[in-house]
Every structure is written in structure tokens, then in C-alpha cells.
Amino acid sequence: QFTDKTSFRYARYLSGSSSYGNVAELEFYRESEKLHGTIIGTSGSWGNSGNTISKAFDENVNTFFDSPEINNSWVGLDFGETTDKYSR
């Protein structure tokens, strides 16, 4: 849950060390409203397996993002503009 009252354009998940960014599903909300935007993040997948950032938002818990980078992998949404619609 976002508690920052500042307007923003992006929301992201930054993975921990040595995790390859593994995440099955990711959703961002403002109160009860699910937020939507363009998927952004670390490109590619480990071993070119096809487990790219889009898998984190495909609403399928059996798929997952698996980054080609061991550290500093991230996945998120670009809301298209800075707006207070997404601030809390």
C-alpha cells in the first residue's frame, strides 16, 4: 500500500540480492482500485526461457518473471504521466 502523498508516474518492485527478480504475480493498488499501466523493468529472462517481465502481470500464479540479472532486477508499471490519481 502506498502511503506517500506525492504524485508519481511509476511503481516498481526491486528484487533482493541474488534473487534473479523472481516474482510470480505483482499488482499495485490505490485503496481498492487496481492500477494499470505499461509494464516496465529488466529486459530478458534467465537463459532466454521466456519468463520475462510480462509474466509478473499475466494473472497466472503458475508463471513468473525470472531475470537474466542476479542483482538489481526490477519490474513495474509506467502510468503514462505523473498524476495524483495514483497518489494516496
Side-chain angles (χ1 to χ4, degrees):
Q1 180 179 25
F2 297 113
T3 57
D4 189 338
K5 305 238 185 274
T6 306
S7 298
F8 56 93
R9 177 176 173 169
Y10 307 98
R12 73 175 182 163
Y13 163 77
L14 178 62
S15 69
S17 295
S18 302
S19 74
Y20 286 95
N22 290 350
V23 60
E25 281 303 304
L26 186 60
E27 295 178 339
F28 296 102
Y29 287 83
R30 178 183 181 267
E31 297 180 12
S32 62
E33 178 187 1
K34 184 176 176 182
L35 304 180
H36 300 276
T38 302
I39 300 170
I40 55 174
T42 304
S43 62
S45 62
W46 186 82
N48 293 316
S49 62
N51 294 320
T52 61
I53 56 177
S54 64
K55 301 292 185 180
F57 294 96
D58 68 359
E59 299 182 351
N60 181 349
V61 297
N62 294 312
T63 63
F64 59 95
F65 169 48
D66 191 13
S67 173
E69 306 295 328
I70 191 168
N71 295 311
N72 301 315
S73 298
W74 64 281
V75 60
L77 294 176
D78 177 351
F79 303 120
E81 62 183 19
T82 301
T83 176
D84 62 0
K85 175 181 178 186
Y86 299 113
S87 66
R88 185 162 160 27

